[in-house]
């Protein structure tokens, strides 16, 4: 069998398998079913990115997914398409297992990705490094109707699909600052580096202080089309 025929056969088998799952002919656990609702509590796997992508245009599916998280949020009405930066399928995130420096507007995929990040990465990392949880996430906003600096392309912030995180506060009150602690050595810097690498697994784009001077004081995370970890 030639390599091309083997590849073609594999594609046919996979397509048949997906069709069988979709039509309900083959019963698989929800976490391995591409069309099952994303469960934030389940350990992320190869299907998580696809399930996050499905949330962007389906408010009902978004609500079901976020109901499996600890996020407290308020769905937002879609804005008029005539405004400069229209928003669709967004929500205002108020709090979670952590408090936020302020509430923020987020696209559904961004909110779900943050919930996954918090539960499966941020808190386990804090427990591993400090032996305690993160109590508060400090950020400088999500929605801003603007272009990417130095270009004419719309920023992911223009659709509330990005969040800029500047620091964290631990349960004992200790503050960890991206600006102040990233360049140093020690536990705070170790924590920030582990958090940044973990964010790369949950968000499509993660940009930190070493990306450029504009990001020296924060982690930019977004759910845009392109995957980047810098």
């Amino acid at each position: 069998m030639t390599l091309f025929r083997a590849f073609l056969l594999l594609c046919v088998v996979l397509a048949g398998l997906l069709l069988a799952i979709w039509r309900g002919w083959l019963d698989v656990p929800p976490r391995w079913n591409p069309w099952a609702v994303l469960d934030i509590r389940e350990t992320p796997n190869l299907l998580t990115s696809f399930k996050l992508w499905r949330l962007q245009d389906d408010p009902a599916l978004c609500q079901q997914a976020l109901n499996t998280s600890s996020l407290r949020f308020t769905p937002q009405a879609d804005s008029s398409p005539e405004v400069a930066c229209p928003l669709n399928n967004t929500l205002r995130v108020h709090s979670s297992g952590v408090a936020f420096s302020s509430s923020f507007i987020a696209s559904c995929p961004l909110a779900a990705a943050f919930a996954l990040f918090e539960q499966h990465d941020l808190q386990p990392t804090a427990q591993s490094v400090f032996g305690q949880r993160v109590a508060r996430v400090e950020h400088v906003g999500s929605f801003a109707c603007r272009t990417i600096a130095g270009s004419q392309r719309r920023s992911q912030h223009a659709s509330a699909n990005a969040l800029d995180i500047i620091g964290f506060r631990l349960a004992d009150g200790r503050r960890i600052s991206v600006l102040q602690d990233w360049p140093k050595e020690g536990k705070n810097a170790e924590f920030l580096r582990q958090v940044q690498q973990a964010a790369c697994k949950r968000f499509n784009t993660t940009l930190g202080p070493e990306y450029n001077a504009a990001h020296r004081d924060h982690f930019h995370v977004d759910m845009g089309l392109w995957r980047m970890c810098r």
Side-chain angles (χ1 to χ4, degrees):
M1 180 180 294
T2 66
L3 183 60
F4 175 74
R5 288 183 177 178
F7 174 74
L8 186 60
L9 178 61
L10 177 61
C11 290
V12 171
V13 171
L14 288 176
L17 180 63
L18 290 173
L19 177 63
I21 295 173
W22 178 56
R23 297 299 295 269
W25 301 333
L26 181 63
D27 187 28
V28 297
R31 66 189 307 265
W32 292 110
N33 182 344
W35 291 276
V37 176
L38 172 67
D39 190 331
I40 302 296
R41 298 164 296 189
E42 292 281 358
T43 302
N45 60 29
L46 294 174
L47 296 177
T48 302
S49 293
F50 175 74
K51 291 186 175 186
L52 282 169
W53 173 79
R54 291 184 64 217
L55 301 180
Q56 61 185 337
D57 297 317
D58 193 331
L61 189 64
C62 172
Q63 181 86 35
Q64 293 178 64
L66 292 181
N67 284 345
T68 69
S69 76
S70 58
L71 285 182
R72 286 177 285 281
F73 60 92
T74 304
Q76 302 293 289
D78 292 347
S79 60
S80 167
E82 287 77 28
V83 301
C85 295
L87 295 179
N88 299 291
N89 192 20
T90 59
L91 45 98
R92 179 170 290 279
V93 178
H94 301 285
S95 63
S96 186
V98 297
F100 295 106
S101 50
S102 63
S103 65
F104 59 93
I105 299 292
S107 67
C108 182
L110 177 66
F114 181 88
L116 287 165
F117 167 70
E118 178 194 346
Q119 177 161 334
H120 300 287
D121 304 290
L122 179 63
Q123 297 296 10
T125 300
Q127 289 291 345
S128 174
V129 176
F130 300 112
Q132 58 181 302
R133 61 185 292 275
V134 169
R136 178 182 170 97
V137 172
E138 299 180 351
H139 68 88
V140 288
S142 55
F143 174 66
C145 187
R146 62 175 176 83
T147 59
I148 297 173
S151 80
Q152 297 301 311
R153 291 189 296 120
R154 284 290 190 190
S155 166
Q156 290 298 317
H157 285 288
S159 54
N161 207 30
L163 181 67
D164 290 340
I165 298 172
I166 62 172
F168 307 90
R169 194 171 293 277
L170 301 178
D172 66 1
R174 186 186 327 177
R175 183 174 185 268
I176 302 165
S177 163
V178 174
L179 177 63
Q180 296 176 3
D181 293 313
W182 181 273
K184 301 177 182 178
E185 297 182 356
K187 283 190 173 183
N188 287 8
E190 176 188 350
F191 169 76
L192 289 174
R193 281 164 170 74
Q194 289 189 31
V195 165
Q196 192 245 9
Q197 288 302 306
C200 289
K201 296 184 295 183
R202 304 294 164 234
F203 302 95
N204 288 352
T205 292
T206 299
L207 304 177
E210 295 181 8
Y211 178 60
N212 61 22
H215 291 80
R216 68 187 184 281
D217 61 351
H218 68 277
F219 295 146
H220 166 98
V221 296
D222 74 50
M223 295 302 291
L225 292 175
W226 310 111
R227 294 201 70 90
M228 184 183 300
C229 176
R230 298 283 295 275

